[in-house]
Amino acid sequence: PQKPGLGQTQARRQEIHLGLPCEWQEPNYLIHHPLNLFPKRTKELKSVVPSAPGWKLFGKVPPRENLQKTSKIIQQEYEARTGRTCKPPPPSSRRKNFEFEPLSTTALILEDRPSNLPAKSVEEALRHRQEYDEMVAEAKKRELYEIFLSRAKERWKSFSETSSENDMEGVSIADREASLELIKLDISRTFPSLYIFQKGGPYHDVLHSILGAYTCYRPDVGYVQGMSFIAAVLILNLEEADAFIAFANLLNKPCQLAFFRVDHSMMLKYFATFEVFFEENLSKLFLHFKSYSLTPDIYLIDWIFTLYSKSLPLDLACRVWDVFCRDGEEFLFRTGLGILRLYEDILLQMDFIHIAQFLTKLPEDITSEKLFSCIAAIQMQNSTKKWTQVFTSVMKDIKEGDKNSSPALKS
């Protein structure tokens, strides 16, 4: 605003004295207020640093100590002022001697609530105990898988440093299958149409890790061609550690263990039991196979090794897996008889070579409705004897010296 003259200032003072309203307000200029030595301004709050040194006549004042009182100091001051002593908190009711004490807060679920909260009911405590046991079991699974996976990685590292492709020429077939090098070759052949297990795919490393960990977990079995298909199906449905546990348990079943360990005597017993029900349900096709000396091992081995995941479409193979997990090994052989029943008319017109080629690679247009209707028509009962009873009687009849004329097993 424009600086007022002396007359305007005196006139305004008279208006204020008389209580008259005025529109113009005088700005706060120092030279127009000789009585006020300082301008009319609100005092600014200056930040005071407690620890900053002050001044006295002959030197500095030492800085104040800005100590923050801890809870223990506050408690001691309170006890000194009031003469009361605070009781220490009751000892924790933490459970000791756990069978498995993880390095996390997993065990906190077993703790009792503080005294100021409602206590757990019996049902809630039991439920928490069950949840804790499940969490511990999952932790043990992951730990077991990590142990064997680390061993497999060490073997891969040492194998790549000390061996080459030329070194594998003099190794026997059994040793090659037990080696980790064969895994790399088979992974590229696992569900090639999906493009997820091949190198660069999202599940290539997972499949490689599970198969490698299993070879270290069961060196007596090692790796056998066909395992990659079983592990791949499990990877599509489970987490990595769970897939490894399921894979190891599945291959530990009597039927799978006999086939993957190439136990000839046990395999012959399974084939003999299969032929009993083959003749019972499909006698005409059974005689046709007999005329060409076409034994079950020619087509059953591939079906059992891969649990039909290689021969059947993936969605149909998963349905077979569902019933197999419920009914056991019997359903694997019942499924084989259902396939033979489905294509009985076609197989009766083929010779040995064409039958073997046809059963190795089944038609892709096979439907679940037709297949399962044929499986349902198969009667797994021979003269009031079921699969397990027939298998037991076959084991008693076949002696270790008796060998079937199976060309595949002899080779």
Side-chain angles (χ1 to χ4, degrees):
Q2 186 177 3
K3 185 183 298 185
L6 182 60
Q8 293 178 352
T9 304
Q10 293 176 353
R12 180 178 178 277
R13 287 177 179 173
Q14 293 178 0
E15 292 175 355
I16 294 174
H17 179 71
L18 297 176
L20 299 177
C22 60
E23 296 180 358
W24 176 81
Q25 295 181 358
E26 180 181 353
N28 187 13
Y29 288 103
L30 179 62
I31 60 174
H32 296 289
H33 297 274
L35 297 179
N36 295 334
L37 301 178
F38 299 98
K40 296 180 180 179
R41 294 180 183 177
T42 58
K43 295 183 179 179
E44 297 179 358
L45 297 176
K46 297 183 180 179
S47 59
V48 179
V49 181
S51 60
W55 289 87
K56 60 181 181 178
L57 186 60
F58 298 103
K60 293 183 179 180
V61 179
R64 294 183 180 180
E65 295 183 357
N66 189 20
L67 296 177
Q68 295 182 354
K69 296 182 180 181
T70 61
S71 59
K72 187 175 181 180
I73 296 175
I74 295 174
Q75 181 180 352
Q76 291 175 354
E77 292 179 354
Y78 173 77
E79 292 176 356
R81 185 171 62 255
T82 60
R84 299 178 183 178
T85 58
C86 298
K87 295 182 180 180
S92 175
S93 59
R94 179 178 175 84
R95 295 167 175 80
K96 302 295 182 181
N97 300 325
F98 287 127
E99 296 179 359
F100 178 80
E101 187 71 25
L103 300 177
S104 65
T105 58
T106 304
L108 291 179
I109 195 173
L110 296 179
E111 296 294 332
D112 294 331
R113 293 196 182 98
S115 58
N116 60 335
L117 296 176
K120 294 182 182 179
S121 62
V122 178
E123 294 79 7
E124 187 178 8
L126 292 175
R127 186 176 72 253
H128 286 177
R129 181 69 196 186
Q130 182 180 0
E131 293 175 358
Y132 172 76
D133 292 339
E134 292 175 356
M135 288 187 288
V136 170
E138 290 295 326
K140 288 182 177 180
K141 286 181 183 179
R142 292 190 296 270
E143 183 180 3
L144 177 66
Y145 173 63
E146 292 296 333
I147 290 173
F148 292 108
L149 180 58
S150 61
R151 293 181 184 177
K153 290 180 178 180
E154 291 177 0
R155 290 183 60 184
W156 285 328
K157 184 178 180 180
S158 61
F159 185 84
S160 60
E161 292 175 353
T162 59
S163 65
S164 60
E165 295 181 358
N166 296 329
D167 297 333
M168 297 297 291
E169 294 179 357
V171 182
S172 63
I173 296 177
D175 293 335
R176 284 176 63 102
E177 289 186 341
S179 68
L180 296 170
E181 184 67 17
L182 187 59
I183 296 175
K184 299 179 181 179
L185 301 176
D186 268 2
I187 289 179
S188 60
R189 310 168 190 164
T190 305
F191 296 120
S193 59
L194 297 181
Y195 302 105
I196 59 177
F197 296 105
Q198 285 63 40
K199 191 172 184 61
Y203 293 116
H204 173 270
D205 295 338
V206 178
L207 180 58
H208 193 267
S209 299
I210 289 178
L211 296 176
Y214 179 77
T215 58
C216 294
Y217 172 66
R218 291 298 300 267
D220 58 323
V221 179
Y223 177 77
V224 182
Q225 288 183 341
M227 288 183 177
S228 59
F229 283 89
I230 299 177
V233 174
L234 294 173
I235 290 172
L236 294 176
N237 294 275
L238 298 170
E239 296 294 332
E240 186 173 351
D242 294 329
F244 170 75
I245 298 296
F247 180 73
N249 291 334
L250 183 59
L251 298 191
N252 200 40
K253 291 181 176 294
C255 180
Q256 278 65 45
L257 196 60
F259 275 79
F260 283 112
R261 296 182 70 175
V262 197
D263 188 344
H264 288 184
S265 60
M266 284 298 296
M267 292 171 69
L268 288 173
K269 293 168 186 176
Y270 278 107
F271 294 148
T273 308
F274 174 80
E275 286 189 313
V276 170
F277 292 97
F278 188 6
E279 185 178 8
E280 183 76 19
N281 289 273
L282 305 168
S283 57
K284 190 175 181 180
L285 185 62
F286 175 79
L287 295 175
H288 182 67
F289 279 22
K290 280 290 184 182
S291 62
Y292 287 106
S293 300
L294 200 150
T295 52
D297 53 275
I298 294 177
Y299 51 91
L300 269 184
I301 286 181
D302 190 57
W303 292 352
I304 301 300
F305 272 179
T306 62
L307 297 179
Y308 297 97
S309 57
K310 181 181 178 182
S311 305
L312 295 176
L314 182 57
D315 57 340
L316 185 53
C318 289
R319 290 194 58 182
V320 173
W321 278 48
D322 290 340
V323 188
F324 161 64
C325 293
R326 186 192 68 181
D327 296 347
E329 62 186 31
E330 174 186 338
F331 187 76
L332 295 178
F333 297 94
R334 189 177 184 181
T335 301
L337 293 174
I339 294 173
L340 296 178
R341 181 183 179 89
L342 179 61
Y343 297 108
E344 181 179 11
D345 297 336
I346 300 175
L347 295 172
L348 288 173
Q349 301 174 6
M350 294 182 178
D351 56 6
F352 179 91
I353 297 177
H354 291 89
I355 290 174
Q357 292 176 349
F358 182 86
L359 295 179
T360 302
K361 182 62 177 177
L362 297 172
E364 296 182 357
D365 60 349
I366 182 173
T367 60
S368 59
E369 291 77 10
K370 292 181 179 180
L371 177 59
F372 274 88
S373 62
C374 292
I375 294 174
I378 299 297
Q379 300 295 325
M380 299 300 288
Q381 189 170 351
N382 176 258
S383 63
T384 69
K385 287 185 178 181
K386 295 183 179 181
W387 171 269
T388 54
Q389 296 172 331
V390 174
F391 183 76
T392 304
S393 61
V394 167
M395 290 182 65
K396 293 179 180 179
D397 296 338
I398 298 180
K399 297 179 180 179
E400 291 187 3
D402 299 336
K403 295 293 181 180
N404 196 313
S405 59
S406 174
L409 288 178
K410 285 185 177 181
S411 60

